[in-house]
Amino acid sequence: MKNSILQDLAPKLTGELQTDTLSKALYATDASVYRKIPLGVAFPKTKEDIRELIYFANKHNIGLIPRTAGTSLAGQCVGDGLVVDVSRHFTKIVHLDKEKKQVTVQPGVIRDELNQYLRPFGLFFGPNTSTSNRCMIGGMVGNNSSGTTSIQYGVTRDKVISLKTILSDGSEAEFETLSKTDFNSKLKEDSFEASLYKNIHKELSNKKITSEIEENFPKKEIHRRNTGYAVDELLQYEVFNGTKTGINLAKLLCGSEGTLAFTTEITLQLDDLPPPMSAMVVTHYKTLEDCLSDVAPVMKHPLQLCEMMDKVILDCTKNNRAQRANRFFVEGDPAALLMLQVSANHLEELEEAIAALQNTVADSGLSYASPVLYADDIRKAIELRKAGLGLLGNIVGDRKAVACIEDTAVALPDLKDFIGEFTQIMNGYGQKAVYYAHAGAGELHLRPILNLKKGDDVKLFRDITTDVAKLTKKYKGSFSGEHGDGIVRAEFIPLMIGEQNYKLLRRVKFYFDPNGIFNPGKIVDAYPMDESFRYEVNREEPEIKTLMDFSDSEGILKAAEKCNGSGDCRKTHHMSGGMCPSYHATKNEKDTTRGRANALREFLTNPKETNGFDSKELKEVFDLCLSCKACASECPSNVDVATLKAEFLYQYQESNGYPLRSKLFAYNTKLNKLGSKVAGLTNAVYDSSFLGGLLKKSSGVAKGRSLPKVYSVDFDKHLQKFKNQFINSKKSIVLYIDEFTRYLDVEVGKDAIELLVKLGYDVELFYAESGRTYLSKGFLKQAKTLALKNSERLKVFAEQERPVIGLEPSALLSFRDEYKRMNDDKAMADSIGENSFLLEEFLASEITNELLDASLFTTEAKDVKIHNHCHQKALSNQKVTFDVLNLPKNYKVTIIPSGCCGMAGSFGYEKEHYETSMKIGGLKLFPAVEKSPVDTIIAANGTSCRHQIFDGTKRVAQHPASILKDALLN
């Protein structure tokens, strides 16, 4: 019935309303353990849309669940009503007041992007969550977020100046500081807004009520306190005999999780940028107790941050491709470490701060190592710490570090004793918990490791949460420091603040929202904390057979379940990294790693058909995945959607047939081989506007896309030509001539041969089709056949210790990646992967080993800009290309921070994907190339990348092999 009602709502909105099965599945979860299927998802464009939604919700008794990035850990963003996502349209920075150092934004503005905008003005917004590159200001206000810098800059509530809102009756109200006179005038008005002031005044003027608040709310010195509504904050205002001027109800709404009003604009107080010079002392400890003992002493220093990571988190970083490099400062195997940052305006001042801090650490004698980090090394260390939440998803299997008690905050002097008692509770349950985060603020994110698919562990989930709530109450702490009450902690609010205070909160909720339409089930009248999980408890999980091997995740379903919803994939192109390129273009949740993993989990767990892969929803959600593999390295949980997509396509097409166009792309190498035999004729057809156009139209290729030329070259003859000239060889290597180099990028192959021979290597050629075209289109049987065939040859090279050097990243790196999932002999597959190198990787290692230097190359000065292939970024690194192109000593080399080019093999050719492909290229790559002078060399090692650069900018990009060959002296 409600779905038919929603159809009546849609025409009344200028924004979108989605009620399809896929959209509801995507928005059924956030970063918590909960799952509730909503009625639909609304994307309001205007305040009038929001007002219409409020009228509708009141009329039909439907809850409205406000949502921005959906990274909440406590279940704030899930519910069975209508999700209202403001992240798509409410994204404007409205006004900056440089004099007052205040900025007004809409709730969908991303925190880090706001600070990018503010930086030229010397200002920034201080609260800094671990999700800061995708979390939004509306969510930060809803949760009263804090983050790493709260000890210096405060929490979000401290920064909120005013909130423009729409109230539950549809009227607008701006909550800001009112003088006592204005407040008294407001009490005389006759409006819904005025009734709120009257009722709050009535409640908090009652001495019995205020005494109850002061007696039972968390200690005032705990600045991270989000338990319930912040009525204790209001007592600090002069209208209730406090010391702060007037009254500001925005402080009450901050942390209310969207349960009191719908916010449309937020005005924030800003800070001056931190001092320009910083250092971080990272103290290492053999025990957790030693680490906690040092917190109080070091906090006597003016620290920018004081963060902790324990061994569980640190061990997770070893298995994450992106974070492994950020472990560089970790010495030995610490049980825990503290990251202590100091800042200063001058070097002498900074050195004094470091010395003072080191003296305090030395006096305690508890730390066994304390390296000092500077400049970009600090950023890397902070990135390692920020990745903590997502890294917990790296734990293989159903047992996970579960968010339930992870948000406790106590007064700093109580921290060590609190953690000691907490550990005793955990020991009593046979638990080894995870400890990390904001030690300097008296808050550690403490997580038990549980399997919420099992009833016994669900009972533990409640029992542990209850016991820790009682412990937190004993220390008069806050059960929610910054992550909010949501579903997981709202049940415990009466215990934490007392029944009388809880009744007050219920009355406050009623005053603001008498019909209970705003985010029901949160803070008051809570949903049960041990129901509505992502998984059905005690159910026998489906066994899903796959062609590729997902045993490293205990199967494909658990590979998808590794996604914990932290939303790293929702960062936009304004941030570093390439995940997820299609999301950068569309801003649709379905085009994120999280969306794809959630959809795969949902439809495999609750299949409509016998074959769970046979799903039009899964086909839609994987449609715009470019298989760039950025998620394989950038996702802290290592959710490799490219591999999941390959398996899905195979399974789906096995049930529904393989489309003709997919066959054309999958078997492209065979077609190119045929075309190369009559290359002149083939290329003439491709160049013909009529015949080429007809070919594109009949095969579903975009009209605006150029077709690649084919060639026939005798590479053996070319090799022999140079071998005869250069007889002395210092090392025997194998040059892999892949399917793209053999028939399309023949000049790259020829240049690589000439380069390597002239550098003194004994080169043998290895011809093989990698299987990349089959993998990309889901033809896994054919890909596996090639993988097994090629492995027999590659195994011999590995046994001979002759490195295999590849030119095309998507081909060569399949030996290191997908071949392992298609080969039963894992030891052989590992040895093949370890013996396979990109040209740049091999030459970079030769430079490192002092076997290659600049003496063989020109001294001519040139500028070079690099765009590297996505698979290289994910499975290797960009620095190797940078290093080898710096061999000519006067080459000035820079890396374009370009993410994905948007071509992705066949993706950019397909007519329905062409626009998205070009839009992705136009975000970063095309502008960077177009801004470069015409004599700047554009380097790109991917065949698709070079094609995309040409189609998008008309500039010819070169492979590093060609650039280095041209730079040789002889």
Side-chain angles (χ1 to χ4, degrees), residues 565-747:
S566 62
D568 301 67
C569 44
R570 280 185 61 102
K571 61 186 178 182
T572 73
H573 68 283
H574 296 294
M575 299 294 108
S576 62
M579 179 178 68
C580 291
S582 53
Y583 176 75
H584 293 169
T586 69
K587 301 298 189 295
N588 288 332
E589 175 71 18
K590 72 179 180 67
D591 299 321
T592 63
T593 296
R594 178 174 73 179
R596 290 164 182 139
N598 274 337
L600 190 61
R601 171 186 53 77
E602 180 71 31
F603 294 106
L604 289 184
T605 305
N606 304 293
K608 294 179 180 180
E609 307 291 340
T610 305
N611 175 10
F613 291 103
D614 189 5
S615 161
K616 65 180 179 63
E617 288 85 5
L618 287 179
K619 189 173 188 297
E620 180 181 349
V621 86
F622 282 114
D623 180 55
L624 292 187
C625 172
L626 282 77
S627 298
C628 68
K629 288 191 174 290
C631 51
S633 60
E634 292 178 35
C635 170
S637 301
N638 294 136
V639 179
D640 182 355
V641 170
T643 305
L644 298 178
K645 178 184 179 181
E647 184 69 40
F648 160 73
L649 285 174
Y650 165 70
Q651 299 284 355
Y652 182 85
Q653 291 170 153
E654 283 290 293
S655 293
N656 295 277
Y658 291 78
L660 174 61
R661 187 179 64 184
S662 293
K663 291 179 181 178
L664 291 174
F665 282 123
Y667 288 92
N668 185 251
T669 300
K670 288 180 170 52
L671 296 175
N672 287 337
K673 183 178 181 180
L674 290 172
S676 69
K677 295 181 184 301
V678 283
L681 178 60
T682 302
N683 293 332
V685 171
Y686 287 175
D687 282 339
S688 167
S689 59
F690 175 71
L691 294 175
L694 190 62
L695 182 62
K696 292 178 189 178
K697 186 175 181 180
S698 62
S699 57
V701 170
K703 184 179 179 181
R705 181 64 69 188
S706 65
L707 296 173
K709 304 291 178 59
V710 295
Y711 301 93
S712 179
V713 168
D714 187 339
F715 288 104
D716 291 302
K717 185 176 180 181
H718 191 73
L719 171 62
Q720 204 56 48
K721 167 186 170 184
F722 287 101
K723 268 195 170 183
N724 292 337
Q725 298 176 38
F726 298 87
I727 300 171
N728 296 323
S729 300
K730 56 187 177 183
K731 184 179 292 186
S732 178
I733 64 172
V734 177
L735 179 62
Y736 170 42
I737 304 296
D738 59 78
E739 59 266 40
F740 308 103
T741 305
R742 190 168 189 180
Y743 300 115
L744 303 175
D745 299 308
V746 295
E747 291 302 321

Side-chain angles (χ1 to χ4, degrees), residues 288-289 292 414-427 435 471 475:
L288 179 67
E289 292 73 23
L292 293 171
D414 297 331
L415 181 61
K416 183 182 177 184
D417 291 341
F418 172 83
I419 294 298
E421 291 194 53
F422 170 83
T423 303
Q424 289 178 17
I425 292 173
M426 292 297 102
N427 290 340
Y435 303 77
L471 176 65
Y475 283 92

Side-chain angles (χ1 to χ4, degrees), residues 93-218:
I93 297 173
V94 179
H95 176 66
L96 173 64
D97 188 326
K98 290 178 282 188
E99 298 301 316
K100 291 183 178 179
K101 299 180 182 178
Q102 294 177 357
V103 68
T104 299
V105 300
Q106 292 181 324
V109 170
I110 294 171
R111 186 268 182 188
D112 280 1
E113 293 185 13
L114 171 62
N115 280 346
Q116 283 183 343
Y117 168 81
L118 294 170
R119 175 170 284 278
F121 303 100
L123 301 170
F124 85 122
F125 175 58
N128 181 25
T129 69
S130 62
T131 57
S132 62
N133 63 0
R134 69 269 191 194
C135 80
M136 298 175 181
I137 302 299
M140 294 185 73
V141 170
N143 282 352
N144 185 30
S145 299
S146 305
T148 57
T149 58
S150 68
I151 57 176
Q152 187 71 247
Y153 296 105
V155 301
T156 300
R157 183 179 288 129
D158 299 327
K159 304 300 181 184
V160 170
I161 298 298
S162 68
L163 299 175
K164 284 187 178 179
T165 66
I166 301 178
L167 303 177
S168 63
D169 69 336
S171 62
E172 293 187 45
E174 181 172 8
F175 295 104
E176 57 188 341
T177 299
L178 297 179
S179 67
K180 196 169 184 179
T181 301
D182 289 340
F183 173 71
N184 289 328
S185 297
K186 185 72 71 174
L187 296 180
K188 297 173 184 176
E189 295 178 8
D190 183 20
S191 65
F192 186 70
E193 177 192 359
S195 73
L196 301 177
Y197 285 98
K198 292 173 188 176
N199 284 313
I200 295 293
H201 183 254
K202 176 188 69 177
E203 296 283 1
L204 299 186
S205 296
N206 185 319
K207 292 294 182 184
K208 186 177 180 181
I209 290 174
T210 57
S211 296
E212 190 74 26
I213 293 171
E214 290 169 353
E215 176 68 24
N216 285 297
F217 264 66

